[in-house]
Amino acid sequence: MKTLRILTLALFAAFSFSSCDKEEDEPLSEGVDDRYAIEAELDGQAVVLREGKDGYFNFGSTGKTSGDGFCLNRATMIIGKYHDVSKTNTKLKDTFQVTIQRYARVCSADNSYEKGLYQVGEYPFAKDATDRDANGVVILYTDVNGVDWSTNRGSQDQSGSRFEVTAHQPIKSKIYQYETDAVFNCRLYNDAGEAIVLTKGRIKARSIPYPSKYQ
């Protein structure tokens, strides 16, 4: 998760600077689109994060993590907001990240893998591993206090949980190739092993950027 977090922080920083320059490129959000949102109930309490409302926005990213004899290819949909952004301090709060990842023994030479990560259908929940247990989806929620809760922390028990991509289609955009819809329910754990039950989860978000843009 460390590499994914670093990638996310970098993209938040890129957003904050690129959105000020209208001459070179469209801003990362390409204009507010309130169709992009995540809805869920956390321990029975309704949560809705919608682009354009209360400072929330959406973007997608791709990346990979490599180590001794393994490579994790990742694609992530993010809906949330950033706080206290400066040259030395970036904090994520009120943010959901939904990551599809795939294990391989070696990393590919290009980024052609990314289009295949999202497929309509159900996915297992990935474990924090450097083998095929790492295949699947990881859901990360950063709460209002900056505490991370995710499906692959704590006991990682996801018995009875479910994640399904219900639509994945191309969009007209200078930055993004696809938008993706998914539904899910799961348990999220913090580093202390405490759990939040997430039900009635639903996300619609920009997902796969063009490789030449922000990679």
Side-chain angles (χ1 to χ4, degrees), residues 3 12 22 25-26 83 96 103 115 120 132 155 202:
T3 301
F12 268 97
K22 297 182 182 296
D25 267 325
E26 293 186 16
H83 300 251
F96 274 92
Y103 163 84
K115 290 186 179 181
V120 173
R132 294 190 180 277
S155 70
R202 181 179 300 274

Side-chain angles (χ1 to χ4, degrees), residues 39-77:
E39 303 175 9
E41 290 188 2
L42 298 178
D43 284 344
Q45 182 175 354
V47 174
V48 180
L49 310 185
R50 185 176 303 279
E51 182 167 86
K53 181 177 174 59
D54 300 325
Y56 293 104
F57 60 91
N58 157 238
F59 64 85
S61 68
T62 58
K64 61 185 71 175
T65 301
S66 60
D68 186 14
F70 79 95
C71 178
L72 285 181
N73 297 313
R74 291 190 174 101
T76 302
M77 298 180 286

Side-chain angles (χ1 to χ4, degrees), residues 4 15 32 48 51 58-59 63 81 92 106 112 145 148:
L4 176 61
F15 176 86
V32 172
V48 180
E51 182 167 86
N58 157 238
F59 64 85
K81 64 171 72 173
L92 303 180
V106 295
S112 59
N145 299 310
D148 289 336

Side-chain angles (χ1 to χ4, degrees), residues 86-116:
S86 68
K87 291 182 179 180
T88 59
N89 185 20
T90 302
K91 295 182 179 178
L92 303 180
K93 295 181 180 179
D94 306 332
T95 299
F96 274 92
Q97 301 180 55
V98 178
T99 298
I100 304 294
Q101 60 186 42
R102 182 182 298 162
Y103 163 84
R105 291 186 177 180
V106 295
C107 290
S108 58
D110 57 32
N111 292 320
S112 59
Y113 72 88
E114 63 192 20
K115 290 186 179 181

Side-chain angles (χ1 to χ4, degrees), residues 195-211:
I196 296 175
V197 177
L198 186 156
T199 56
K200 300 180 181 178
R202 181 179 300 274
I203 187 171
K204 183 181 186 69
R206 304 175 183 92
S207 53
I208 301 292
Y210 286 103

